[in-house]
Amino acid sequence: MELTSVQKEKSIYPKYTWLIVISELCERFTYFGLKSVLILYLTRILQFNGEESTIIYHSFIFHACIMPLPSAILGDSYWGKFKTIMYLSFFYALGCLVLTGGSIADMFGLDVQKILTLLGLFFISVGMGGINSCIFAFGGEQFQLHHQEKQLQHYTTNYTLAVFVGSLISTFLMPEFRQSIHCFGKDTCFPLAFGVPTIMMFISIAIFVAGKNMYVKKKPEQKVITRTFGCIFYAMRMKVTSAIPCQTHWLDNAKGKYTESEISDTRSVLDLLFVFTAYPVFWSLYSQSGSKWTLQAMLMNGRVDFLNWTIKPDQIQMLIPLFGITLLVLVDNVFYPMFAAIGIRKPLQKLTFCGFLGVIAFVFAALLQFKIVGNTTEIPSGQGRIYIYNGFDCHVFVKSKSLHIQHQISPLDSFNVSHTVMSQNVSGDVMVVGITIGFESKCNFVSDNYEFTTTVTIIEGKEISYHLIRLNSNTIALNRVGAHDSLVKEKFGNPNLRILFDHTFGFDDNITFTSTDHTSFTSYSLSQFRGMSYKAVIVGIYNVFHNGKMLPTPTMDVIPGTFYTLTLQRNGDKMVTL
């Protein structure tokens, strides 16, 4: 049977919907690009700790996910979908501009940067949430359901593919821009990593608005969402307050104010919600790929040897759209037949099976975190431990009858001993013992065969460090470093560093750690280590510089969950380190 001209027109795929698809691709590029580098920006640039960064990140995600509800009300009942998308897109773009501006506003201080960042994230979450609630449905409205079902399926596939492609490209490129390009005098370029998605957002708006005169724009309908919530709350109120509540279904208490159709539709929605009760749990776990999993990836070197490439910590999120595209292409012809072969045929069975795979993924993540960080250092029950750091560029001899030791410590090296805290020598769980320190004859600034006797304290269950240094040109002492060492590894597995130095160094001196591939550097003032306390540092392989001059020391291979002590000693014009 030959189609009429009207039927032919209805069967044609509306090409202008490609504007919606491409606009969504650009918007997804923006969102996932910003989100991929956000957690590192919060920790490395804004100097939030791991927990604070995670809270900010997930608050941003939460707000972006809750905003579709009020935006859907605006789109369905007041502004219409086109205006809602257009207005909130400008809000979205404004947030991108503020976030990018904040990343280059370091001259105004860290507090200003933090305020601009949080403000930008708020604008972005409002805009993104508003767009997501309307744009897919707006594209669907361009088709006539009874005549263009096949075309609508093609649109759905194209739209989904655009989401994955946009996010795949951005989650690969933005981490590369962040780390591989240096700008504004820094070893990273977050302004570029934020700026490119900002430009893409403006392109997205331009593409979407270009089809303004071609789109089918349906007028706002009756207030469906508000009527649905109204039906629920009115029925609940009547069930509690009515003298004769309805005995069938509690929603039937809304009869009289709401129509049978509205009550029936509301009942169907509530029944459907049971299917989606697991969704909030899934999405809350899914979002950790951009926070906890990225922070975990920071503790690994990311080296892919067979590709001769190092994957950035924030590029781990690239796997999600990559697998999404793969599944989209193969799911009907490969995976569903495989599922059917093992008895998984119904949609609920498929959801359950995939949820189980998600559980396995988090078990692997937990095992990996344990492998990276390892156990917290423990001291055997009833014992205490002391570390002695030699701050001299010569051999030192340590002996103690009480500790049963006689040991030689190499230049700028360390020695540790554990000892049982003897009850007859203690006050509580503290033991004080004598120790003798001697120097070899070639020690600079030390008399030949010089030795002195002092005491050290051993506390049960604690580790105490001592630093052998010159307090001034005439005095040598074995200084206790703080009350005791922390044996608890950081929650996020970061390595920790402390620097021990003597009176020949000023607190204004700078120690800089530059990665061996020159892609990053971190500089510290010695005043930050005034209390000889540990400070969290970034995993990597570093050369050490003092006031811009490279020190003659082996490269430092800083690995996760480890404590490092860097000992500095000045031997005339020569600088030596451990």
Side-chain angles (χ1 to χ4, degrees):
M1 183 178 67
E2 188 174 345
L3 295 175
T4 65
S5 59
V6 175
Q7 289 175 324
K8 287 181 179 179
E9 182 179 350
K10 290 180 178 179
S11 66
I12 296 175
Y13 187 92
K15 294 181 180 179
Y16 57 84
T17 57
W18 280 105
L19 295 174
I20 299 174
V21 171
I22 297 174
S23 174
E24 178 64 8
L25 185 151
C26 295
E27 186 276 325
R28 292 289 86 184
F29 181 103
T30 298
Y31 175 68
F32 282 97
L34 296 174
K35 189 167 73 76
S36 65
V37 299
L38 178 59
I39 196 74
L40 296 187
Y41 177 68
L42 295 173
T43 54
R44 293 186 177 180
I45 303 300
L46 300 188
Q47 298 177 17
F48 289 108
N49 62 37
E51 291 185 353
E52 292 170 339
S53 300
T54 301
I55 291 171
I56 294 171
Y57 178 89
H58 286 287
S59 297
F60 165 66
I61 300 297
F62 170 80
H63 196 246
C65 291
I66 203 69
M67 279 307 299
L69 183 58
S71 301
I73 295 174
L74 288 174
D76 287 339
S77 306
Y78 296 97
W79 293 348
K81 292 183 178 64
F82 176 79
K83 288 184 178 180
T84 301
I85 295 169
M86 188 171 63
Y87 294 159
L88 293 181
S89 290
F90 285 110
F91 213 70
Y92 194 155
L94 175 62
C96 293
L97 283 175
V98 173
L99 180 62
T100 305
S103 67
I104 59 177
D106 52 337
M107 71 286 294
F108 298 110
L110 191 60
D111 289 338
V112 173
Q113 280 190 286
K114 290 180 178 180
I115 292 172
L116 290 176
T117 297
L118 296 178
L119 186 62
L121 292 177
F122 172 76
F123 288 157
I124 292 171
S125 63
V126 171
M128 193 279 291
I131 293 173
N132 275 2
S133 64
C134 296
I135 192 163
F136 179 72
F138 180 70
E141 289 179 351
Q142 310 307 308
F143 299 86
Q144 298 184 35
L145 291 181
H146 298 295
H147 303 283
Q148 295 182 304
E149 291 182 359
K150 185 175 292 186
Q151 289 88 338
L152 181 58
Q153 290 178 358
H154 289 162
Y155 163 76
T156 302
T157 301
N158 294 336
Y159 183 94
T160 306
L161 189 61
V163 170
F164 285 138
V165 169
S167 57
L168 176 64
I169 296 173
S170 63
T171 50
F172 173 77
L173 287 181
M174 295 312 105
E176 290 290 339
F177 290 165
R178 169 193 64 79
Q179 181 165 318
S180 301
I181 298 175
H182 303 170
C183 61
F184 297 99
K186 297 182 178 179
D187 64 328
T188 58
C189 196
F190 280 97
L192 181 62
F194 290 147
V196 172
T198 299
I199 294 172
M200 290 297 290
M201 188 61 220
F202 280 99
I203 293 175
S204 173
I205 295 172
I207 292 173
F208 178 76
V209 175
K212 177 180 179 181
N213 297 325
M214 294 180 280
Y215 297 140
V216 175
K217 305 186 192 73
K218 293 185 178 181
K219 293 183 179 180
E221 302 172 345
Q222 59 177 335
K223 302 174 178 59
V224 177
I225 296 179
T226 53
R227 293 285 294 180
T228 300
F229 279 107
C231 179
I232 293 172
F233 290 120
Y234 182 76
M236 292 172 62
R237 181 162 63 90
M238 293 303 295
K239 181 176 177 62
V240 174
T241 60
S242 177
I244 308 176
C246 183
Q247 299 298 317
T248 53
H249 193 281
W250 64 273
L251 277 174
D252 291 333
N253 288 290
K255 288 180 179 178
K257 185 174 182 179
Y258 294 89
T259 65
E260 290 283 352
S261 176
E262 288 175 325
I263 294 173
S264 176
D265 290 344
T266 302
R267 185 185 299 139
S268 299
V269 169
L270 293 179
D271 291 340
L272 190 62
L273 285 180
F274 285 106
V275 179
F276 295 99
T277 50
Y279 267 43
V281 178
F282 167 79
W283 286 110
S284 64
L285 294 175
Y286 166 85
S287 296
Q288 291 193 30
S289 63
S291 58
K292 293 294 184 66
W293 284 20
T294 300
L295 293 173
Q296 184 185 69
M298 289 173 61
L299 304 177
M300 296 181 280
N301 61 25
R303 188 67 184 164
V304 185
D305 290 329
F306 70 92
L307 294 177
N308 193 28
W309 174 57
T310 300
I311 185 171
K312 313 300 183 294
D314 31 1
Q315 281 178 327
I316 193 70
Q317 300 169 71
M318 176 184 67
L319 297 177
I320 296 173
L322 181 62
F323 287 143
I325 293 174
T326 304
L327 291 173
L328 188 65
V329 173
L330 300 178
V331 68
D332 288 327
N333 297 323
V334 178
F335 290 103
Y336 281 173
M338 290 173 57
F339 288 171
I342 58 176
I344 300 176
R345 295 181 176 86
K346 297 179 180 180
L348 193 57
Q349 291 175 326
K350 296 172 184 176
L351 285 173
T352 303
F353 177 76
C354 293
F356 180 71
L357 293 180
V359 172
I360 294 176
F362 274 88
V363 171
F364 284 168
L367 293 174
L368 178 60
Q369 185 72 7
F370 182 79
K371 178 67 176 177
I372 293 171
V373 177
N375 288 315
T376 295
T377 303
E378 295 182 356
I379 297 175
S381 177
Q383 293 189 0
R385 180 182 298 148
I386 62 169
Y387 263 85
I388 298 177
Y389 291 90
N390 178 11
F392 287 82
D393 190 20
C394 61
H395 289 89
V396 171
F397 307 99
V398 179
K399 57 184 177 180
S400 171
K401 291 183 179 180
S402 300
L403 297 178
H404 309 293
I405 59 170
Q406 186 169 344
H407 189 81
Q408 175 180 285
I409 308 177
S410 299
L412 295 175
D413 205 345
S414 64
F415 165 71
N416 73 86
V417 59
S418 298
H419 194 273
T420 301
V421 178
M422 307 298 292
S423 58
Q424 64 268 28
N425 295 332
V426 302
S427 173
D429 56 358
V430 179
M431 177 179 179
V432 179
V433 298
I435 190 169
T436 300
I437 307 290
F439 297 82
E440 67 175 339
S441 58
K442 67 175 185 178
C443 261
N444 292 314
F445 313 110
V446 181
S447 304
D448 289 346
N449 301 318
Y450 175 74
E451 69 175 27
F452 68 97
T453 300
T454 185
T455 59
V456 294
T457 301
I458 301 177
I459 302 177
E460 183 179 350
K462 302 295 184 182
E463 179 180 286
I464 300 175
S465 292
Y466 289 88
H467 185 208
L468 182 62
I469 58 169
R470 287 183 296 152
L471 296 180
N472 52 54
S473 57
N474 299 315
T475 307
I476 297 174
L478 186 64
N479 268 6
R480 181 169 171 173
V481 181
H484 59 81
D485 296 343
S486 172
L487 302 179
V488 179
K489 297 183 179 182
E490 276 210 349
K491 179 179 180 180
F492 293 95
N494 294 314
N496 287 270
L497 170 75
R498 67 180 173 187
I499 301 178
L500 305 181
F501 51 93
D502 62 16
H503 76 284
T504 61
F505 294 89
F507 286 123
D508 293 332
D509 289 7
N510 283 303
I511 296 296
T512 303
F513 298 92
T514 303
S515 61
T516 53
D517 58 2
H518 303 288
T519 59
S520 65
F521 65 90
T522 307
S523 186
Y524 300 100
S525 169
L526 287 184
S527 61
Q528 295 176 264
F529 299 91
R530 186 187 298 266
M532 308 296 182
S533 57
Y534 284 102
K535 186 176 183 65
V537 293
I538 300 172
V539 173
I541 302 176
Y542 298 100
N543 292 315
V544 184
F545 292 77
H546 172 256
N547 290 341
K549 183 179 180 181
M550 185 172 173
L551 301 183
T553 181
T555 56
M556 289 184 61
D557 188 0
V558 180
I559 62 176
T562 309
F563 294 90
Y564 294 89
T565 298
L566 177 66
T567 304
L568 302 180
Q569 195 260 354
R570 193 190 303 274
N571 186 356
D573 293 331
K574 178 184 176 184
M575 176 78 69
V576 289
T577 64
L578 167 63

